[in-house]
Amino acid sequence: MTRVLLTGFAPFDGEAVNPSWQAVRAAAAEPPAGIEAFAVELPCVYGASLAVLRAAIEDTRPELVLCAGQAGGRPDITVERVAINVDDARIPDGAGAEPIDEPVVPGGPAAYFSTLPVKACVAAVRAAGLPASVSNTAGTFVCNHVFYGLAHLIATEFPGIRGGFVHVPYAPGQVTDRSQPSLPVAEVARALREITVTAARTRTDIRAAGGATH
């Protein structure tokens, strides 16, 4: 059994729900064969989110950590390639903080790459009939903050863990009054299961196009 920690976020920016947490909770409730899954909700707050993540890692001692967050406006499941060492908030976080051009970890590296096989994960989601792509930017809000913080924890304190981040679209109920793409939570949960089992089984990523011009 591979022990996997899945995290999603609490709602933010006036939303009533966050599909990342809804999907993570559903995926962990019915994990793929060979996976022992734990689900933890993170506050959408700079600093506090990393404290909860660290406590969850210490409590569950996972081999894999897959964090998920909402990326409203994106049409597909996007597996993140890189996290950068900057917090630059366009909107307040859940506690009202709006850091501008501040490091996630003072003195830390400029960036970390995911230690999950991002392209193999994208291929697995697509093979399951769901839209997916590689993303080369996790933004500069709390999602990137958690992704970078996770990568730094792995690099400095938990070298036996592999981890990464996935962004998910809005749920259909969030876009009834606006023209934005969405995916049902059940389908997002299915994608997370595919990513989890692929990451657990794959150490060397596949070679496939996943670049972007902008």
Short mmCIF file of all heavy atoms in Angstrom, two decimals, residues 1-6 36-38 40 52-65 153-154 157-162:
data_model
loop_
_atom_site.label_atom_id
_atom_site.label_comp_id
_atom_site.label_asym_id
_atom_site.label_seq_id
_atom_site.Cartn_x
_atom_site.Cartn_y
_atom_site.Cartn_z
N MET A 1 0.84 -1.20 0.00
CA MET A 1 0.00 0.00 0.00
C MET A 1 0.88 1.25 0.00
O MET A 1 1.84 1.35 0.76
CB MET A 1 -0.91 0.02 1.23
CG MET A 1 -1.89 -1.12 1.32
SD MET A 1 -3.23 -0.96 0.12
CE MET A 1 -4.22 0.31 0.92
N THR A 2 0.57 2.17 -0.87
CA THR A 2 1.26 3.46 -0.90
C THR A 2 0.43 4.47 -0.13
O THR A 2 -0.75 4.68 -0.41
CB THR A 2 1.45 3.94 -2.35
OG1 THR A 2 2.20 2.97 -3.09
CG2 THR A 2 2.19 5.27 -2.38
N ARG A 3 1.06 5.11 0.84
CA ARG A 3 0.36 6.11 1.66
C ARG A 3 0.41 7.46 0.94
O ARG A 3 1.49 7.97 0.61
CB ARG A 3 1.00 6.22 3.04
CG ARG A 3 0.86 4.96 3.88
CD ARG A 3 1.73 5.01 5.12
NE ARG A 3 1.31 6.03 6.06
CZ ARG A 3 0.36 5.88 6.99
NH1 ARG A 3 -0.28 4.71 7.09
NH2 ARG A 3 0.05 6.83 7.82
N VAL A 4 -0.76 8.02 0.70
CA VAL A 4 -0.87 9.27 -0.06
C VAL A 4 -1.66 10.29 0.74
O VAL A 4 -2.76 10.01 1.23
CB VAL A 4 -1.56 9.04 -1.42
CG1 VAL A 4 -1.68 10.35 -2.19
CG2 VAL A 4 -0.79 8.01 -2.24
N LEU A 5 -1.09 11.48 0.86
CA LEU A 5 -1.80 12.61 1.47
C LEU A 5 -2.34 13.49 0.35
O LEU A 5 -1.59 13.95 -0.52
CB LEU A 5 -0.85 13.43 2.35
CG LEU A 5 -1.41 14.73 2.92
CD1 LEU A 5 -2.59 14.48 3.84
CD2 LEU A 5 -0.31 15.52 3.65
N LEU A 6 -3.65 13.71 0.35
CA LEU A 6 -4.32 14.59 -0.60
C LEU A 6 -4.82 15.82 0.13
O LEU A 6 -5.43 15.70 1.20
CB LEU A 6 -5.50 13.88 -1.25
CG LEU A 6 -5.21 12.58 -2.02
CD1 LEU A 6 -6.50 11.88 -2.38
CD2 LEU A 6 -4.40 12.88 -3.26
N GLU A 36 -3.48 3.93 0.08
CA GLU A 36 -4.09 4.33 1.35
C GLU A 36 -4.08 5.86 1.37
O GLU A 36 -3.02 6.47 1.40
CB GLU A 36 -3.31 3.78 2.53
CG GLU A 36 -3.92 4.11 3.88
CD GLU A 36 -3.10 3.58 5.05
OE1 GLU A 36 -1.95 3.16 4.84
OE2 GLU A 36 -3.63 3.61 6.19
N ALA A 37 -5.25 6.46 1.30
CA ALA A 37 -5.34 7.91 1.11
C ALA A 37 -5.85 8.63 2.35
O ALA A 37 -6.73 8.14 3.05
CB ALA A 37 -6.26 8.22 -0.07
N PHE A 38 -5.29 9.80 2.58
CA PHE A 38 -5.70 10.68 3.66
C PHE A 38 -6.03 12.04 3.06
O PHE A 38 -5.28 12.55 2.23
CB PHE A 38 -4.59 10.84 4.70
CG PHE A 38 -4.09 9.55 5.28
CD1 PHE A 38 -3.07 8.85 4.65
CD2 PHE A 38 -4.66 9.03 6.43
CE1 PHE A 38 -2.61 7.65 5.18
CE2 PHE A 38 -4.21 7.83 6.97
CZ PHE A 38 -3.18 7.14 6.33
N VAL A 40 -6.96 16.13 3.69
CA VAL A 40 -6.86 17.24 4.63
C VAL A 40 -7.24 18.53 3.92
O VAL A 40 -6.78 18.79 2.80
CB VAL A 40 -5.44 17.36 5.22
CG1 VAL A 40 -5.29 18.63 6.05
CG2 VAL A 40 -5.12 16.14 6.08
N VAL A 52 -0.66 23.79 8.49
CA VAL A 52 -1.58 22.64 8.46
C VAL A 52 -0.99 21.53 7.61
O VAL A 52 -1.08 20.34 7.97
CB VAL A 52 -2.96 23.07 7.94
CG1 VAL A 52 -3.88 21.86 7.78
CG2 VAL A 52 -3.59 24.09 8.89
N LEU A 53 -0.39 21.87 6.48
CA LEU A 53 0.22 20.87 5.61
C LEU A 53 1.34 20.14 6.34
O LEU A 53 1.41 18.90 6.30
CB LEU A 53 0.77 21.53 4.35
CG LEU A 53 1.54 20.62 3.40
CD1 LEU A 53 0.66 19.50 2.86
CD2 LEU A 53 2.15 21.43 2.26
N ARG A 54 2.20 20.87 7.00
CA ARG A 54 3.31 20.24 7.72
C ARG A 54 2.79 19.29 8.80
O ARG A 54 3.30 18.17 8.95
CB ARG A 54 4.20 21.31 8.34
CG ARG A 54 5.41 20.74 9.06
CD ARG A 54 6.08 21.79 9.95
NE ARG A 54 7.24 21.21 10.57
CZ ARG A 54 8.48 21.34 10.15
NH1 ARG A 54 8.72 22.03 9.04
NH2 ARG A 54 9.48 20.78 10.79
N ALA A 55 1.79 19.72 9.55
CA ALA A 55 1.21 18.88 10.60
C ALA A 55 0.62 17.62 10.01
O ALA A 55 0.74 16.52 10.58
CB ALA A 55 0.16 19.66 11.38
N ALA A 56 -0.02 17.74 8.83
CA ALA A 56 -0.62 16.58 8.18
C ALA A 56 0.45 15.59 7.73
O ALA A 56 0.27 14.38 7.82
CB ALA A 56 -1.48 17.03 7.00
N ILE A 57 1.56 16.10 7.21
CA ILE A 57 2.66 15.23 6.79
C ILE A 57 3.23 14.49 7.99
O ILE A 57 3.47 13.28 7.94
CB ILE A 57 3.75 16.04 6.08
CG1 ILE A 57 3.25 16.54 4.72
CG2 ILE A 57 5.03 15.21 5.91
CD1 ILE A 57 4.18 17.50 4.02
N GLU A 58 3.42 15.21 9.08
CA GLU A 58 3.97 14.57 10.28
C GLU A 58 3.00 13.53 10.85
O GLU A 58 3.42 12.51 11.39
CB GLU A 58 4.29 15.64 11.33
CG GLU A 58 5.45 16.54 10.93
CD GLU A 58 5.71 17.65 11.93
OE1 GLU A 58 4.77 17.98 12.70
OE2 GLU A 58 6.83 18.19 11.94
N ASP A 59 1.71 13.79 10.72
CA ASP A 59 0.70 12.89 11.27
C ASP A 59 0.52 11.63 10.42
O ASP A 59 0.38 10.52 10.96
CB ASP A 59 -0.63 13.63 11.40
CG ASP A 59 -1.70 12.78 12.04
OD1 ASP A 59 -1.45 12.20 13.11
OD2 ASP A 59 -2.80 12.69 11.47
N THR A 60 0.52 11.79 9.09
CA THR A 60 0.21 10.66 8.21
C THR A 60 1.43 9.95 7.66
O THR A 60 1.32 8.81 7.21
CB THR A 60 -0.67 11.12 7.03
OG1 THR A 60 0.04 12.09 6.25
CG2 THR A 60 -1.97 11.74 7.54
N ARG A 61 2.59 10.62 7.65
CA ARG A 61 3.83 10.04 7.12
C ARG A 61 3.62 9.44 5.73
O ARG A 61 3.85 8.26 5.49
CB ARG A 61 4.39 9.00 8.09
CG ARG A 61 4.83 9.58 9.42
CD ARG A 61 6.04 10.49 9.23
NE ARG A 61 6.37 11.23 10.45
CZ ARG A 61 7.41 12.07 10.55
NH1 ARG A 61 8.18 12.28 9.49
NH2 ARG A 61 7.66 12.72 11.67
N PRO A 62 3.21 10.26 4.77
CA PRO A 62 2.91 9.73 3.43
C PRO A 62 4.17 9.49 2.61
O PRO A 62 5.24 10.03 2.90
CB PRO A 62 2.08 10.85 2.82
CG PRO A 62 2.66 12.09 3.43
CD PRO A 62 2.99 11.70 4.85
N GLU A 63 4.02 8.70 1.57
CA GLU A 63 5.07 8.54 0.57
C GLU A 63 4.88 9.52 -0.57
O GLU A 63 5.84 9.91 -1.23
CB GLU A 63 5.07 7.11 0.05
CG GLU A 63 5.38 6.07 1.10
CD GLU A 63 4.97 4.68 0.67
OE1 GLU A 63 5.64 4.14 -0.24
OE2 GLU A 63 4.00 4.13 1.22
N LEU A 64 3.62 9.89 -0.82
CA LEU A 64 3.27 10.86 -1.85
C LEU A 64 2.38 11.93 -1.25
O LEU A 64 1.52 11.62 -0.40
CB LEU A 64 2.52 10.21 -3.01
CG LEU A 64 3.26 9.24 -3.93
CD1 LEU A 64 2.27 8.59 -4.88
CD2 LEU A 64 4.33 9.97 -4.71
N VAL A 65 2.55 13.17 -1.71
CA VAL A 65 1.65 14.26 -1.34
C VAL A 65 1.16 14.92 -2.62
O VAL A 65 1.97 15.34 -3.45
CB VAL A 65 2.33 15.32 -0.45
CG1 VAL A 65 1.35 16.44 -0.11
CG2 VAL A 65 2.88 14.69 0.82
N LEU A 153 9.75 21.67 1.95
CA LEU A 153 9.74 20.68 3.02
C LEU A 153 10.35 19.36 2.55
O LEU A 153 11.12 18.72 3.27
CB LEU A 153 8.30 20.44 3.50
CG LEU A 153 7.68 21.50 4.39
CD1 LEU A 153 6.20 21.20 4.61
CD2 LEU A 153 8.40 21.60 5.73
N ILE A 154 10.02 18.95 1.32
CA ILE A 154 10.57 17.72 0.78
C ILE A 154 12.09 17.84 0.61
O ILE A 154 12.84 16.92 0.95
CB ILE A 154 9.91 17.38 -0.57
CG1 ILE A 154 8.44 16.97 -0.34
CG2 ILE A 154 10.66 16.27 -1.30
CD1 ILE A 154 7.65 16.83 -1.62
N GLU A 157 13.48 18.59 4.68
CA GLU A 157 13.12 17.83 5.88
C GLU A 157 12.54 16.44 5.62
O GLU A 157 12.66 15.56 6.48
CB GLU A 157 12.10 18.63 6.71
CG GLU A 157 12.62 19.97 7.21
CD GLU A 157 11.59 20.67 8.06
OE1 GLU A 157 11.03 20.02 8.97
OE2 GLU A 157 11.33 21.86 7.80
N PHE A 158 11.91 16.25 4.49
CA PHE A 158 11.24 14.97 4.21
C PHE A 158 11.70 14.42 2.86
O PHE A 158 10.91 14.32 1.91
CB PHE A 158 9.72 15.15 4.23
CG PHE A 158 9.17 15.69 5.52
CD1 PHE A 158 8.81 17.03 5.64
CD2 PHE A 158 9.01 14.85 6.61
CE1 PHE A 158 8.30 17.53 6.83
CE2 PHE A 158 8.50 15.34 7.81
CZ PHE A 158 8.14 16.68 7.93
N PRO A 159 12.97 14.06 2.73
CA PRO A 159 13.50 13.65 1.42
C PRO A 159 12.91 12.36 0.88
O PRO A 159 13.04 12.07 -0.31
CB PRO A 159 15.00 13.50 1.69
CG PRO A 159 15.11 13.22 3.16
CD PRO A 159 14.01 14.03 3.78
N GLY A 160 12.25 11.57 1.71
CA GLY A 160 11.65 10.34 1.24
C GLY A 160 10.30 10.51 0.59
O GLY A 160 9.73 9.54 0.07
N ILE A 161 9.77 11.72 0.61
CA ILE A 161 8.45 11.99 0.06
C ILE A 161 8.59 12.57 -1.35
O ILE A 161 9.52 13.31 -1.66
CB ILE A 161 7.69 13.01 0.95
CG1 ILE A 161 7.40 12.40 2.32
CG2 ILE A 161 6.39 13.47 0.29
CD1 ILE A 161 6.78 13.39 3.29
N ARG A 162 7.64 12.21 -2.23
CA ARG A 162 7.50 12.89 -3.51
C ARG A 162 6.19 13.66 -3.49
O ARG A 162 5.22 13.24 -2.85
CB ARG A 162 7.51 11.90 -4.66
CG ARG A 162 8.86 11.21 -4.86
CD ARG A 162 8.86 10.29 -6.07
NE ARG A 162 7.92 9.20 -5.90
CZ ARG A 162 7.09 8.77 -6.84
NH1 ARG A 162 7.01 9.38 -8.02
NH2 ARG A 162 6.28 7.75 -6.60
#
